[in-house]
Amino acid sequence: MAKVPSAVVAASGLVGGYGVARWTKKRQLGGAVLAVAGAAAAQQWRQRAGGKAAGALSAAYVAAFAGSHPLAKKVGAWPAVFGVAGAVALSSWAVADRNGR
């Protein structure tokens, strides 16, 4: 089975969590998507880059989620979500996925 890069998992969690919350009108369901993807990405980060890197990337994931809310007031909801998802994906790739472990 092909490995899905942690950058894709993390970005999908942010975009998918928002999309599910918006389209179902159930924030808790979107939060569940966000949490499951975040946990899966954190597990990959720990395996590929170690505990400290996983902690830092997990903090970045949570900060991106939190930061997307005030950013959305300035640029709109979808641009904010895609922006923070891209930032987390880039960070994840640089720290955990780049070496192809």
Side-chain angles (χ1 to χ4, degrees), residues 40-93:
Q43 182 178 11
Q44 288 182 313
W45 294 329
R46 190 168 29 270
Q47 290 171 349
R48 295 177 185 173
K52 286 184 180 182
L57 288 168
S58 295
Y61 185 80
V62 173
F65 167 69
S68 69
H69 291 83
L71 183 59
K73 293 180 187 208
K74 296 183 185 299
V75 300
W78 281 111
V81 170
F82 284 127
V84 299
V88 167
L90 182 60
S91 300
S92 179
W93 175 81

Side-chain angles (χ1 to χ4, degrees), residues 4-55:
V4 177
S6 62
V8 173
V9 174
S12 297
L14 289 161
V15 173
Y18 175 68
V20 167
R22 181 169 179 147
W23 289 315
T24 64
K25 301 195 184 326
K26 296 185 188 292
R27 294 178 69 172
Q28 298 85 351
L29 192 55
V33 170
L34 180 80
V36 168
Q43 182 178 11
Q44 288 182 313
W45 294 329
R46 190 168 29 270
Q47 290 171 349
R48 295 177 185 173
K52 286 184 180 182

